[in-house]
Amino acid sequence: MTRTLVISDIHGELELFEQLLAKVQYDPHHDQLILLGDYVDRGPHSKKVLDKVIELKAQGALVLKGNHEDMMIKALTTDDEHAWKHWAHRNGGSNTLQSYGFSEEEFIVPENVEFVKPELYSDKLTGHLEFIQCLDSVIVSEDYIFVHAGIHPTLPIAETDPYVLMWIREDFYNGYHGDKTVIFGHTPTTILHDNKNNHAIYFGKNNIIGIDGAAVYGGQLNCLELPTKIMHYVKK
């Protein structure tokens, strides 16, 4: 492979994702594509994005699980009220369910009634759920650590709960000082740059590279090219 291309936090933005792959002229025969999670929620086309991710994985892409996949799994595989409402009501799961053809009347549970988990079924949704449940949470190479949210700054990765790898924020990006460079999404780079208008990839002095350009919020979808560390991006 001549290049490694890293993308994160697509969030249902299929058009931007396909534009970015075209812009970098991604070729699975020569490039290693690594996707860092959060394919679903908030954007309009979660189902189609997962279809694309499955296609890319079959061609050789390395695919990780993000915290939004984590929420989706917990909501759809348990009867826990908090898990359902946390995902479907408050974190963009409604957009994901609508992309599979469900209406709000089918999955929004009123606050003033006893919770009964909505019964939703779709062959496509079931297949996608099985796919994301099998995804890894971290990739470690000779020089880099690829992860959705970050790593615990003092725990060995092998001893770290996958939940931490998908959800951690400040403790990681303020506290990490390891030798390997950690490439991650999850935290919008506007926060890392401390500039609400700067969606560019963040190159931290403590060996961290944040690439979540908050595309679904009107920012940009970033791609980090390695080993050159060139930034590619598209925006609406």
Side-chain angles (χ1 to χ4, degrees):
M1 297 295 176
T2 58
R3 302 185 299 174
T4 296
L5 304 170
V6 194
I7 301 172
S8 190
D9 296 85
I10 300 161
H11 283 299
E13 295 287 355
L14 178 67
E15 185 175 348
L16 287 180
F17 187 31
E18 291 183 329
Q19 286 176 4
L20 186 55
L21 291 173
K23 183 174 183 177
V24 299
Q25 297 182 311
Y26 169 60
D27 181 347
H29 297 100
H30 301 287
D31 302 321
Q32 178 61 70
L33 179 64
I34 300 180
L35 304 176
L36 301 184
D38 278 11
Y39 314 108
V40 300
D41 299 345
R42 306 196 192 284
H45 299 300
S46 292
K47 180 182 75 170
K48 291 181 179 179
V49 168
L50 281 175
D51 279 337
K52 183 69 177 179
V53 170
I54 290 169
E55 173 190 326
L56 292 167
K57 189 173 189 297
Q59 295 172 354
L62 302 178
V63 179
L64 296 182
K65 185 190 303 179
N67 67 303
H68 279 262
E69 285 77 51
D70 182 53
M71 284 189 284
M72 183 177 177
I73 291 166
K74 289 174 180 174
L76 292 171
T77 63
T78 73
D79 293 320
D80 183 81
E81 178 178 3
H82 173 76
W84 183 266
K85 291 184 176 179
H86 185 62
W87 178 63
H89 292 202
R90 293 185 284 275
N91 279 285
S94 58
N95 303 84
T96 297
L97 289 172
Q98 287 173 331
S99 77
Y100 288 93
F102 299 111
S103 65
E104 287 194 356
E105 289 76 15
E106 294 177 276
F107 59 78
I108 295 296
V109 181
E111 293 294 335
N112 58 346
V113 301
E114 182 179 357
F115 177 76
V116 177
K117 181 180 173 178
E119 294 186 10
L120 306 173
Y121 184 76
S122 155
D123 286 337
K124 178 68 77 172
L125 179 57
T126 298
H128 284 174
L129 189 61
E130 291 172 353
F131 172 76
I132 63 174
Q133 284 177 296
C134 295
L135 296 178
D136 292 327
S137 300
V138 64
I139 298 166
V140 180
S141 71
E142 184 176 351
D143 299 312
Y144 297 102
I145 299 169
F146 302 91
V147 66
H148 178 65
I151 65 172
H152 193 284
T154 61
L155 283 178
I157 292 175
E159 299 175 16
T160 304
D161 188 326
Y163 180 88
V164 173
L165 303 174
M166 293 182 286
W167 285 89
I168 194 169
R169 290 192 192 271
E170 292 91 345
D171 287 347
F172 157 65
Y173 60 74
N174 289 329
Y176 179 76
H177 296 285
D179 293 330
K180 292 190 177 184
T181 299
V182 181
I183 300 174
F184 65 103
H186 186 55
T187 298
T189 58
T190 53
I191 294 173
L192 301 169
H193 288 294
D194 195 24
N195 180 342
K196 66 179 181 179
N197 297 314
N198 190 351
H199 300 280
I201 289 175
Y202 175 81
F203 295 90
K205 294 180 180 178
N206 58 331
N207 270 359
I208 65 171
I209 303 177
I211 68 170
D212 177 11
V216 77
Y217 291 113
Q220 63 194 43
L221 188 62
N222 292 321
C223 175
L224 174 67
E225 179 182 328
L226 298 173
T228 59
K229 295 185 180 178
I230 294 171
M231 178 182 73
H232 307 274
Y233 69 93
V234 293
K235 61 197 321 181
K236 292 181 181 178

